[in-house]
Amino acid sequence: MSPAGDAPPPSPPRRLVFAFYLTGHGFGHATRAIEVVRHLIAAGHEVHVATAVPEFVFTADLRSRHPGILRIRSVVLDCGAVQTDALTVDPRASLHKYHDTAVVPRDSILRTEAEWLTSINADLVISDVVPVACRVAADVGIPSVCIGNFSWDYIYAEYIVASGDHLRSVVWQIAEDYSHCDILLRLPGYCPMPAFRDVIDVPLVVRGLRRSRSEVRKELGIEANAKVVVFNFGGQVAARILQDTAVGKKCISDKFNGARRLQDAIVLGYQLQRAPGRDIAIPDWYSLSEAKVGACPISENIKPKENTESCFEDFEILHGDLQGLPDTMTFLKSLSELNKNELNSHEKQPRERIAASMLFDWEEEMYIARAPGRLDVMGGIADYSGSLVLQLPLREACHVAVQRNHQSNQKLWEHIHARQLENGGKEPVVSFGSELSNRSPTFDMDLSDFMDGDTPISYEKAREYFCQKPSQKWAAYVAGTILVLMTELHVKFTDSMSILVLSDVPEGKGVSSSASVEVATMAAIAAAYGLSIAPRDLALLCQKVENHVVGAPCGVMDQMTSACGEANKFLALLCQELVAIPTHVRFWGLDSGIRHSVGGGDYGSVRVGTYMGRKMIKCSASDLASESSISDAIVQSEYKQNAIEILKSEASLEYLCNIPPHRYEAVYAKDIPEVMTGDAFLEKYGDHDDTVTTIEPKRSYSVKAPTRHPIYENFRVEAFKTLLEAANTDEQLSALGELMYQCHYSYNACGLGSDGTDRLVNLVQEMQHRKMSQGESPNLFGAKITGGGSGGSVCVIGKNTPKSHEEIVEIQQRYKAATGYLPILFDGSSPGAGKFGYLKIRRRRSPPRG
C-alpha cells in the first residue's frame, strides 16, 4: 500500500513566497490547509501562515524536515460564526462580531496587511477564506487564490435572513472583497459562491494518513499481501495550481465560469429569501444543469422542490423592496391566490375570503404597507407622563393593501356579506382573521358619512358612528385614519378605495395589534394618494385615531414603534433614539391568555389618577411658590430664591416625569392621597387637564400609586438604558432584570396587574432562583407585564443562549399545566413602517398571443 498523493509538485527555478491567510473559525480549516502547506514546503517554498489558530496545530503536524520554510503569524482578521455551544450558531452575534472584528478596524487592517505582504515579498496570497485578504492582495498588486467549499458572504446571508437586515452591508462588503480574488479552488460539497470570477474544481483535501500500513490493513480486514492504492491528490493538486499561479502560468480552463457564476447568483438569491421554519425553493434546472455547464449537483441539504415563489410571477413590483420579509411574501401569495379566483364554493370558504376575492380590480395598481406590533420592554404606561420608554418592534406585523377606485363608485366600503351573495355586490374593505373573533369581516360606509357639509364630522360623532354595531367597531381603526387625514391634513378624497387588512399581530395580547393596523392602513393610503408623511408624523396622526376616533386613551409609544422602529433595536421614545441591543441579551414576550385592552376601564382610571396627581402637585407647587409660604422645613433661607424658581417650574409642570424621585418624596408624596372620589377632586381642583379622559364624579380613583409610578419608571428606564452599555456580566443582567421586576410590581400597585401575568413573572423568578440555589449562573433574569397591563403579555430578559430558550419553553408548558392555556411566544424583530416604505404592485399582464 503506497500513498499516491504524497509527491510534491515539481519545483520551479526559484523559491516562492506564499502568504496563506487562514480563518480562525475552528481547526477544520487548519487541518485542511496543513496538507496544502505540506506540499508547498516539500517543494522548497516559503509559506507564511497568518491566522488566529494556535501555532501548535501546525508544528504538531509538520514536524518532519522539509526543504522549505514555514512561519506562523498570529492575527485575527475574521471571526467565522459565534456559537453558543458545539451545535448552535448565534446569527446576530456572529454578524456583530464580524462587524467589530473586520469592519470597524478595516482601514487599519488594510494598511497593516499591505505593509506585511510587502515586507515578506509575497508572490501569491492564499485565503481560506478570509475576505479582506483578497482586497489587500489587489491593493498591493499580488495575485490571490481562495480555497474552500463555501464563502462567508453566503453563510452570513443566511444569518441576515434569520436576524434582520440591519447589517446587510456586511455581506456586500465581504462579497466585494472576494471579487478581487483571481481564482477559487473549489472543493467538493460547495455552496453557491457568485462573488468569484474564475473557478477550478479540485479533489477533496483531507488530513494526511496518521496510522501505519499494518494498522490500516488490520482495521479494514485487508490481507498483508493484497495490493492497495490510496488516492489522496487534493493537497498536491491545490499546491501545484498555487505554484503555477505564483509564477504567472494560466490555470483557468473552465469555459463555463460565466454560466456557473450566473447560476450561483440566482440560487444565492433564492437562499436569501429563506426564513426560519420555511424550506427554500430553487429551480429544478440548477441540479439538472451539470451536463450543460459542467457544474456539480447542488448539495444534499439544498433540494429542489416546487417553486413557492410563483406568486411573484403574478405581480409586477413597480416600487419598493420585499426586504426578505417572509410575512410579506406570504401576504403577496395570499393576494395571488385571490387573484386566481380559486374560491370554488362559497359554502366551503371563510366569509372574508369570499369578500376579498372580489375586492380589487386586478388590472389596476395596488399599494401595500407593513407595520409591526411591539414588545414593551420598559416604560409602558408612563409614556403619556413623559417617561423615556424602550420598545422593540416585533416580527409579527400587519399588512394592508389599498387600491383607489373610479369616481363612479363612491362606496368606500360595502358591508353586506348577504348582499354580495345574493346580488353579487362588491365589498371594498375586508379584514382577514375575523373567523377567530366576534367581528364582522367587512364594513361599509359612504365618504359622505364623514362630511358635515364642506367639513369633516367631529371625532366624537365618528366615535358614535363606529359604536353603533359592536361587530363592526374594529373598522374605526381603519376608517378612522381617513377621517384624521381629512381633519388634520385637510386631505380631500375625490374617489373611493378598496382596503384589505391582514394582521399577524394577535389581538388582546398587549403587543399593539391596534397600532399596527392604524399605521399600516395610513401608510398604505398615503402611498396610494401620493401623501408624503414622515414616520414620526404618521405615528402622531395614528395616535389621534386611537385617542379620538376609537376612544382609547393611549400614549404614542405603540404607534411610534410601529412607524419608526428598526429590527433588533430598541426605539427609545422621548429622545427618538435607536438603542442597540447587546448581542448577549435576548428578550421574549409571553402571552398570558388574558385579554388586554387599552380601552378598558382599569387603564383609563389609572390614567385619570395619574393626571389627578399631576394637578395636585402643580397646585401644591403654586401655593408653595409664594415666598411667605416657604418654610424652613423645605429650604434654608439663603436658598429661598432658588427654591421659588424650582417651585414655579413645578407649578407649570407638563409631565410628571420631569420631577426626580427624590424631589417627589421630599416635597409632594405626603400630600397625595391613596384614593379620591371624582366629585371630591372636581370640587377642589376643577379638572385634571387631560383631553382624552373624563372624571366620573361618583367613582373612586387610585391616585398615589398612579402618580408615583411614572416618576420612578422614568428613573428605571434611564438606568436600564445606561446598563445596556455595561460589561457583559451576570451582574449587568441581574440589574436589568431587577428593574423589570420593580416595574411589574409598580403596575400591580396601580391596579393594572392580573393573575396570569403574575404567574408568568413568578415562573421566571422560580427559574432564576433555582439556578442560583444550585450554584449555577441563571439564564433568565427578569420579567414584567407590558403595555397597558391588566392582562396581555409579559416581557422576559435573559441570556441569548439555547438554554434560555429551553427555559422559556418550560415556562410555557408549566403555565399550560396550571391554567390549560399555552402562551403565545413572541421571539424576533422586524423593521417599522418607515423602514419598510411601501410596495406598488400590479398583476402581470399576459403577453399577447401571436
Side-chain angles (χ1 to χ4, degrees):
M1 179 177 71
S2 61
D6 281 350
S11 299
R14 66 179 178 88
R15 169 176 284 180
L16 300 172
V17 178
F18 295 91
F20 201 141
Y21 285 91
L22 180 65
T23 182
H25 178 63
F27 290 173
H29 293 265
T31 56
R32 180 172 69 199
I34 284 170
E35 293 308 305
V36 178
V37 172
R38 184 195 308 278
H39 289 287
L40 291 174
I41 61 177
H45 301 307
E46 182 176 335
V47 181
H48 295 254
V49 179
T51 184
V53 176
E55 184 173 352
F56 74 84
V57 175
F58 296 89
T59 56
D61 272 288
L62 298 172
R63 287 188 296 267
S64 59
R65 297 178 61 84
H66 292 285
I69 298 172
L70 172 65
R71 303 188 189 281
I72 309 298
R73 170 177 169 243
S74 180
V75 63
V76 178
L77 299 175
D78 67 355
C79 64
V82 175
Q83 297 181 225
T84 53
D85 58 38
L87 300 176
T88 307
V89 171
D90 186 329
R92 187 152 57 95
S94 300
L95 292 168
H96 280 285
K97 186 172 182 180
Y98 185 87
H99 180 267
D100 294 341
T101 302
V103 177
V104 173
R106 181 175 175 82
D107 291 342
S108 174
I109 289 173
L110 292 173
R111 183 172 57 255
T112 300
E113 296 310 305
E115 293 173 354
W116 179 66
L117 290 177
T118 302
S119 70
I120 65 173
N121 294 314
D123 294 292
L124 181 72
V125 169
I126 311 168
S127 177
D128 181 4
V129 269
V130 179
V132 74
C134 305
R135 171 58 187 273
V136 175
D139 289 347
V140 179
I142 301 172
S144 61
V145 176
C146 282
I147 303 177
N149 57 4
F150 74 88
S151 54
W152 288 116
D153 54 339
Y154 170 83
I155 300 299
Y156 288 163
E158 296 190 43
Y159 297 172
I160 291 289
V161 172
S163 63
D165 65 354
H166 62 292
L167 287 176
R168 187 179 292 267
S169 60
V170 167
V171 174
W172 300 129
Q173 182 65 72
I174 292 173
E176 197 274 335
D177 284 345
Y178 284 141
S179 71
H180 293 285
C181 175
D182 292 273
I183 304 172
L184 167 66
L185 301 186
R186 186 168 62 177
L187 300 171
Y190 56 80
C191 300
M193 292 182 279
F196 296 95
R197 297 190 302 274
D198 295 315
V199 172
I200 300 176
D201 285 313
V202 297
L204 189 66
V205 178
V206 296
R207 190 167 66 174
L209 300 176
R210 293 295 183 273
R211 298 183 182 181
S212 68
R213 170 178 174 172
S214 59
E215 288 173 333
V216 174
R217 286 178 175 272
K218 182 178 179 180
E219 183 173 331
L220 297 178
I222 301 174
E223 295 181 2
N225 60 350
K227 293 183 178 181
V228 178
V229 178
V230 178
F231 289 95
N232 183 20
F233 281 117
Q236 182 182 359
V237 172
R240 183 185 297 270
I241 295 173
L242 294 171
Q243 178 180 282
D244 290 346
T245 304
V247 297
K249 289 185 179 180
K250 182 175 175 60
C251 300
I252 297 299
S253 60
D254 184 1
K255 64 182 179 180
F256 299 110
N257 266 309
R260 184 276 313 166
R261 197 177 187 197
L262 175 61
Q263 286 182 340
D264 281 3
I266 293 173
V267 173
L268 182 59
Y270 276 87
Q271 294 285 86
L272 285 170
Q273 296 181 35
R274 288 186 296 173
R278 193 186 82 177
D279 292 336
I280 62 171
I282 63 169
D284 293 341
W285 54 256
Y286 188 80
S287 61
L288 301 176
S289 62
E290 179 181 6
K292 295 182 180 180
V293 298
C296 293
I298 196 162
S299 57
E300 288 294 323
N301 64 326
I302 309 177
K303 297 181 178 178
K305 71 179 190 68
E306 182 182 357
N307 188 356
T308 58
E309 308 306 332
S310 61
C311 62
F312 303 121
E313 298 175 3
D314 296 334
F315 295 106
E316 293 179 86
I317 299 180
L318 307 174
H319 174 88
D321 181 6
L322 298 178
Q323 300 184 23
L325 293 166
D327 57 343
T328 303
M329 299 175 195
T330 301
F331 182 70
L332 288 182
K333 184 177 180 181
S334 298
L335 289 180
S336 179
E337 292 171 353
L338 295 174
N339 173 23
K340 293 175 181 177
N341 197 23
E342 295 175 345
L343 306 176
N344 298 320
S345 170
H346 287 171
E347 289 73 25
K348 296 180 181 179
Q349 298 290 340
R351 289 182 298 164
E352 68 265 22
R353 289 191 61 82
I354 301 171
S357 67
M358 305 182 203
L359 184 63
F360 297 117
D361 180 350
W362 299 103
E363 302 298 326
E364 299 296 328
E365 296 168 350
M366 289 182 287
Y367 296 80
I368 297 170
R370 177 190 184 277
R374 67 94 187 96
L375 183 64
D376 165 38
V377 177
M378 287 294 288
I381 60 169
D383 67 332
Y384 57 71
S385 293
S387 173
L388 176 69
V389 296
L390 296 176
Q391 307 295 304
L392 180 66
L394 288 174
R395 187 188 303 272
E396 292 77 9
C398 173
H399 287 81
V400 172
V402 171
Q403 184 179 77
R404 294 177 65 169
N405 295 329
H406 297 297
Q407 293 187 11
S408 58
N409 181 8
Q410 284 300 321
K411 278 284 191 182
L412 176 58
W413 294 296
E414 255 179 21
H415 161 157
I416 358 174
H417 172 58
R419 188 186 308 169
Q420 182 210 331
L421 294 181
E422 294 174 8
N423 305 320
K426 183 180 178 183
E427 299 185 5
V429 108
V430 177
S431 171
F432 270 14
S434 61
E435 75 278 6
L436 303 177
S437 66
N438 295 320
R439 67 173 185 265
S440 171
T442 60
F443 178 78
D444 72 287
M445 68 179 297
D446 290 328
L447 276 173
S448 59
D449 292 337
F450 269 153
M451 300 300 293
D452 184 3
D454 295 330
T455 59
I457 62 174
S458 68
Y459 291 141
E460 184 178 1
K461 285 185 178 180
R463 188 161 60 249
E464 293 172 357
Y465 180 95
F466 290 114
C467 288
Q468 292 175 5
K469 295 181 180 179
S471 66
Q472 294 182 351
K473 189 176 180 180
W474 65 269
Y477 297 99
V478 180
T481 62
I482 295 175
L483 179 60
V484 168
L485 289 172
M486 288 177 167
T487 304
E488 305 298 331
L489 300 187
H490 310 292
V491 177
K492 297 185 183 298
F493 294 98
T494 57
D495 51 13
S496 63
M497 69 192 80
S498 299
I499 300 179
L500 176 67
V501 179
L502 175 59
S503 181
D504 293 328
V505 186
E507 300 174 37
K509 309 302 181 185
V511 290
S512 300
S513 59
S514 59
S516 65
V517 170
E518 294 156 356
V519 172
T521 301
M522 188 175 287
I525 293 173
Y529 285 84
L531 306 176
S532 179
I533 306 175
R536 181 180 182 276
D537 296 332
L538 186 78
L540 294 171
L541 291 169
C542 289
Q543 184 196 19
K544 290 183 180 294
V545 176
E546 188 118 6
N547 286 170
H548 303 303
V549 182
V550 177
C554 69
V556 75
M557 72 176 188
D558 299 355
Q559 292 81 6
M560 201 69 78
T561 308
S562 192
C564 305
E566 291 189 16
N568 299 309
K569 292 183 180 180
F570 287 133
L571 181 63
L573 291 178
L574 187 63
C575 56
Q576 288 291 293
E577 178 184 0
L578 290 167
V579 179
I581 301 174
T583 56
H584 65 281
V585 181
R586 196 175 189 95
F587 295 90
W588 299 266
L590 285 171
D591 159 45
S592 67
I594 299 173
R595 188 173 179 86
H596 154 85
S597 171
V598 295
D602 289 339
Y603 179 92
S605 65
V606 169
R607 175 164 176 149
V608 170
T610 301
Y611 277 82
M612 282 180 168
R614 188 190 70 159
K615 185 65 172 282
M616 293 176 184
I617 288 174
K618 291 175 68 175
C619 291
S620 179
S622 180
D623 292 340
L624 290 170
S626 171
E627 188 170 352
S628 59
S629 302
I630 301 177
S631 65
D632 291 338
I634 300 175
V635 291
Q636 297 178 7
S637 58
E638 61 266 28
Y639 298 116
K640 275 188 178 182
Q641 188 58 43
N642 185 47
I644 291 173
E645 294 302 319
I646 294 174
L647 289 168
K648 286 181 178 179
S649 174
E650 292 167 349
S652 58
L653 184 69
E654 184 175 4
Y655 294 116
L656 273 176
C657 291
N658 292 341
I659 298 179
H662 78 274
R663 179 71 176 171
Y664 168 75
E665 296 293 346
V667 182
Y668 302 110
K670 63 183 182 298
D671 296 323
I672 304 296
E674 294 285 345
V675 179
M676 194 172 197
T677 62
D679 51 9
F681 178 86
L682 292 170
E683 181 179 353
K684 184 172 182 179
Y685 296 99
D687 191 21
H688 65 327
D689 301 329
D690 181 20
T691 59
V692 297
T693 59
T694 56
I695 296 175
E696 299 177 25
K698 301 303 180 183
R699 182 169 183 174
S700 293
Y701 293 94
S702 174
V703 180
K704 196 176 192 73
T707 301
R708 187 179 189 274
H709 174 80
I711 295 172
Y712 278 83
E713 183 69 359
N714 186 56
F715 177 80
R716 286 189 289 262
V717 182
E718 293 281 5
F720 193 97
K721 179 172 175 285
T722 301
L723 277 169
L724 287 172
E725 300 176 0
N728 173 9
T729 62
D730 279 6
E731 289 74 17
Q732 177 212 27
L733 287 164
S734 295
L736 292 169
E738 176 61 28
L739 292 170
M740 294 178 71
Y741 285 140
Q742 289 181 17
C743 173
H744 177 78
Y745 293 112
S746 185
Y747 261 70
N748 284 359
C750 292
L752 293 176
S754 73
D755 292 340
T757 50
D758 282 349
R759 184 182 295 274
L760 286 169
V761 171
N762 289 339
L763 286 170
V764 173
Q765 290 178 352
E766 288 178 21
M767 291 285 189
Q768 181 182 4
H769 297 156
R770 183 178 68 189
K771 287 286 187 181
M772 294 172 66
S773 66
Q774 296 171 349
E776 300 178 16
S777 173
N779 297 305
L780 305 180
F781 288 84
K784 62 173 281 291
I785 195 170
T786 66
S790 299
S793 300
V794 302
C795 176
V796 183
I797 185 175
K799 293 178 178 177
N800 188 14
T801 65
K803 290 182 179 179
S804 299
H805 186 79
E806 290 172 6
E807 292 188 3
I808 290 290
V809 173
E810 181 181 341
I811 289 172
Q812 285 180 284
Q813 296 301 325
R814 289 178 62 182
Y815 189 88
K816 181 182 179 182
T819 67
Y821 178 79
L822 181 66
I824 296 173
L825 174 62
F826 299 101
D827 185 11
S829 184
S830 67
K835 270 289 183 183
F836 180 82
Y838 69 90
L839 298 178
K840 180 181 177 182
I841 67 171
R842 181 177 57 207
R843 188 173 73 174
R844 199 177 295 277
R845 294 179 172 88
S846 300
R849 295 183 178 180

